[in-house]
Amino acid sequence: MKLKNILVAGAIAVSTLGATSCSNFLDINPTDAQTSDTFFRTSVEARQALNGVYEKLRSDYNGTIPNNNALIEVTLGDDAYVGGAASGTDMLWLQQMMRFQALTNSESALQTWNKCYGAIQRANTLLANYDKITFKSNEEDLKNNYKGEATYLRAHFYFELVRYFENIPLITNILEGESWTEVTQEEPAKVYAQIAKDMTDAIDLMAEEIDASEAGRLTKYAAMSELVKVYLFYTGVYGTTELPVEGGAALTQADMIQMADDVINSGRFTLAANYADLFNESGNYNPEVIFEIAFANTGSGDWGDWSYGNIMCQMAGPRAHNGPTFAQGWGFIAPSRELEQSFEAGDTRLPATIMYAKDLIDEVGSVHEAHYNYTGMHSNKYTTHAWNRADVNVELNWAQNYHYIRLADVYLMAAELNLSGNPAKATQYVNVVRSRAGLADKTLVTLADIQQERRVELAFEGHRYFDVLRRGLNEAKQELDVTNYTLTPPTHTDPQYINDQGENLTGDIAADPTIFEISFDVSKKGFLPIPQVEIDLHPLLKQNAGY
């Protein structure tokens, strides 16, 4: 969908509540559309419109093109390789993106762009019509909460856009007539200032707690946590110490320390006692999760934009394998040897993060298919867990929620913020996370310690690439480049691990090891290309550097 069509559309998707799982708020199927002139009247309609904004959070597989945030981040980062069919041409745009050679017609980049602007259009439409809505006298909290959530979600989608594309149009109202022809890109600082304004405004309006029957709705603590993430990314990438706020005072490091502490000390969230429980049958709506994107098994076979399963699971699962632990997937997430080697001995996060092919083969007594960039390892987080397998249309119905922000993430961001002024507090926060992983305390942490802890704690969760990018382009290149790759030999030589092609699935597989080599393109500054279709339609838009 073109930016023109997204932003000028005079209708907003209206959702009806369903009952496909314990979450009554997000398990929805958009079934109708109405114009803003006839729709916005009551709190019920406000809620339906808000549901329409939420729905875009999980709109991550549109027209057979994946745009899942965790998948795109993993593609760009160094924790995994993009696999797929052994030919290396399966979803070629992901291979190109992984090698920092994305084309201006990149399918996943375009669908990411469309998803975000679609959500922004929905939020803008709701907010522009908010004063038309009549709330009952006993609905003052709802009036504030819904407005706050819509405002925050608009900021969230702008943050996703500006992190991936940097130079983007900033629209906070409804475009009418031919005004779309005048759309231009805004300076990144202005976009971040609007994000910060929206998030700070939303924090004052959003609820501190949501009833369990509406699991999936966001509270002020999600906005606070993501604002800290915005601050760290902006100040890191742009070499400043403050985050601008549209129409207000800039946010400082001290402000962010206080905000992170408020989340930690709120008493609303607790670390899961067992790290693996975040990604098994106990994972959905775990009390550690602050920002959760709900997915559902609706049984749908719609390969467009109306299936609500987590496509990251299908993308990550091993190819041509069905067993008691994993069902078959598409083999697109191949954990890197560098990630594997980042875990300390005894770190309980390793088996919860990486599943070894040997163990899967031992379970079923036969080999599975070796995908491209095969490393003998598979993700054990968002994947084709057999306990979650649907009865029909399996690929589209993985009902595993995505944990965008967890308490452990906030602990580690707070540690980084406190490192220069209060190293003891920074060390304390890191040790809280390490203790859960079964590791000994650090005496006094360094920035490198925190960066390393973030890598192993949050692997495959959508953060690593952005953590690296905010260190600066030179360090990003040093960290992300892979040169002179040497294939890791098999760990076991028994015939049961060898396929018909003579390939041993307990080690790296490649006819040419250079397929594992990556070169970060500094000229592109780590950003994706503006979709060419948008530039063709909007003559004032300019392509990003390096494309």
Side-chain angles (χ1 to χ4, degrees):
M1 183 182 292
K2 310 296 191 297
L3 181 61
K4 168 194 172 184
N5 297 333
I6 291 173
L7 296 177
V8 182
I12 185 166
V14 179
S15 307
T16 57
L17 299 181
T20 55
S21 81
C22 63
S23 170
N24 289 330
F25 188 74
L26 287 177
D27 292 339
I28 55 175
N29 287 293
T31 60
D32 198 1
Q34 298 181 32
T35 66
S36 58
D37 291 336
T38 62
F39 179 66
F40 294 100
R41 292 176 179 148
T42 69
S43 62
V44 173
E45 291 166 333
R47 177 189 176 98
Q48 290 174 330
L50 179 60
N51 282 353
V53 186
Y54 269 100
E55 180 266 323
K56 297 303 286 185
L57 287 172
R58 60 183 179 189
S59 174
D60 63 359
Y61 193 64
N62 192 356
T64 74
I65 308 300
N67 58 24
N68 175 287
N69 174 64
L71 173 66
I72 302 302
E73 184 278 329
V74 167
T75 298
L76 290 165
D78 57 350
D79 281 346
Y81 288 94
V82 171
S87 65
T89 59
D90 195 359
M91 296 193 184
L92 184 58
W93 55 86
L94 290 178
Q95 301 288 344
Q96 293 164 338
M97 189 179 292
M98 176 182 70
R99 302 182 191 285
F100 301 99
Q101 297 170 355
L103 303 180
T104 57
N105 64 350
S106 170
E107 298 278 8
S108 284
L110 176 60
Q111 291 303 331
T112 299
W113 176 280
N114 286 347
K115 174 192 70 177
C116 292
Y117 274 114
I120 290 164
Q121 180 268 332
R122 293 182 181 190
N124 282 345
T125 304
L126 173 56
L127 294 171
N129 289 279
Y130 213 74
D131 290 341
K132 299 178 183 178
I133 302 170
T134 301
F135 287 86
K136 297 176 183 178
S137 59
N138 63 345
E139 293 180 330
E140 190 64 25
D141 285 344
L142 282 184
K143 181 178 180 180
N144 290 333
N145 296 165
Y146 291 171
K147 185 176 183 180
E149 289 167 59
T151 303
Y152 168 48
L153 285 169
R154 178 172 69 183
H156 165 78
F157 283 106
Y158 265 124
F159 183 41
E160 188 168 330
L161 277 168
V162 77
R163 283 197 300 180
Y164 280 122
F165 298 99
E166 186 180 38
N167 300 297
I168 61 172
L170 176 64
I171 295 96
T172 57
N173 50 30
I174 300 173
L175 297 182
E176 297 179 351
E178 295 298 308
S179 59
W180 64 269
T181 62
E182 300 174 3
V183 168
T184 61
Q185 289 144 303
E186 190 57 85
E187 289 293 324
K190 291 285 290 183
V191 178
Y192 280 98
Q194 184 63 46
I195 291 170
K197 179 185 187 306
D198 277 355
M199 288 189 178
T200 52
D201 287 349
I203 289 167
D204 291 337
L205 294 169
M206 295 171 73
E208 292 192 6
E209 187 174 21
I210 295 295
D211 188 271
S213 65
E214 296 193 307
R217 277 183 64 192
L218 299 170
T219 70
K220 65 186 295 182
Y221 296 108
M224 294 165 70
S225 300
E226 190 165 17
L227 184 54
V228 175
K229 193 174 291 291
V230 172
Y231 173 89
L232 285 171
F233 186 77
Y234 177 79
T235 56
V237 169
Y238 297 102
T240 184
T241 60
E242 294 183 334
L243 174 66
V245 179
E246 180 66 27
L251 294 170
T252 66
Q253 184 174 350
D255 294 327
M256 293 301 99
I257 289 173
Q258 184 63 58
M259 193 161 290
D261 282 350
D262 287 347
V263 175
I264 291 168
N265 298 326
S266 68
R268 308 279 181 182
F269 312 97
T270 57
L271 290 184
N274 178 16
Y275 183 82
D277 284 344
L278 289 161
F279 308 100
N280 59 25
E281 298 95 323
S282 302
N284 286 358
Y285 306 112
N286 190 288
E288 180 173 335
V289 184
I290 300 170
F291 188 143
E292 184 140 358
I293 298 178
F295 289 93
N297 171 14
T298 65
S300 171
D302 187 340
W303 290 83
D305 198 25
W306 305 119
S307 292
Y308 296 127
N310 187 340
I311 200 62
M312 178 70 162
C313 297
Q314 184 63 29
M315 296 288 286
R319 297 176 69 88
H321 169 87
N322 272 294
T325 299
F326 284 171
Q328 68 178 355
W330 293 338
F332 274 94
I333 307 299
S336 66
R337 294 294 175 182
E338 184 181 304
L339 172 64
E340 178 194 27
Q341 294 160 11
S342 296
F343 289 90
E344 299 172 49
D347 192 330
T348 60
R349 293 171 294 198
L350 175 58
T353 302
I354 293 175
M355 172 64 69
Y356 288 91
K358 176 189 180 300
D359 296 327
L360 297 177
I361 295 169
D362 288 345
E363 282 186 344
V364 299
S366 61
V367 296
H368 47 271
E369 182 180 329
H371 56 244
Y372 191 64
N373 281 127
Y374 187 86
T375 60
M377 300 179 287
H378 304 279
S379 168
N380 199 21
K381 285 189 173 180
Y382 303 108
T383 189
T384 52
H385 297 292
W387 54 265
N388 198 23
R389 179 168 35 200
D391 293 331
V392 296
N393 299 315
V394 177
E395 299 90 345
L396 297 173
N397 288 284
W398 296 103
Q400 182 179 2
N401 293 354
Y402 169 43
H403 307 327
Y404 173 54
I405 301 179
R406 301 190 277 113
L407 181 60
D409 187 359
V410 179
Y411 270 123
L412 295 174
M413 289 192 293
E416 188 172 342
L417 289 164
N418 278 284
L419 186 61
S420 60
N422 192 342
K425 185 177 179 182
T427 302
Q428 175 193 350
Y429 282 159
V430 170
N431 285 336
V432 167
V433 176
R434 288 177 58 81
S435 177
R436 194 255 301 270
L439 300 176
D441 286 354
K442 293 278 188 180
T443 302
L444 197 63
V445 296
T446 64
L447 179 58
D449 291 331
I450 298 171
Q451 292 169 341
Q452 176 66 13
E453 208 64 42
R454 287 188 61 79
R455 181 173 198 178
V456 294
E457 175 69 28
L458 302 170
F460 310 145
E461 296 181 49
H463 307 290
R464 166 68 178 173
Y465 178 68
F466 301 116
D467 282 346
V468 171
L469 200 59
R470 62 186 174 87
R471 299 181 198 174
L473 293 179
N474 290 336
E475 189 169 344
K477 183 167 181 60
Q478 181 178 350
E479 194 74 14
L480 298 173
D481 274 7
V482 180
T483 58
N484 301 316
Y485 191 90
T486 301
L487 296 178
T488 298
T491 58
H492 295 75
T493 57
D494 295 351
Q496 69 188 48
Y497 304 118
I498 301 174
N499 64 18
D500 292 342
Q501 289 75 46
E503 299 167 332
N504 189 313
L505 272 70
T506 68
D508 291 351
I509 294 177
D512 181 358
T514 62
I515 69 167
F516 290 98
E517 297 181 1
I518 303 292
S519 180
F520 177 76
D521 188 344
V522 173
S523 72
K524 296 172 181 173
K525 299 167 53 180
F527 299 110
L528 297 177
I530 305 300
Q532 187 62 44
V533 66
E534 299 294 349
I535 292 177
D536 292 343
L537 185 65
H538 302 271
L540 299 182
L541 298 188
K542 297 179 181 179
Q543 186 54 267
N544 280 339
Y547 293 98

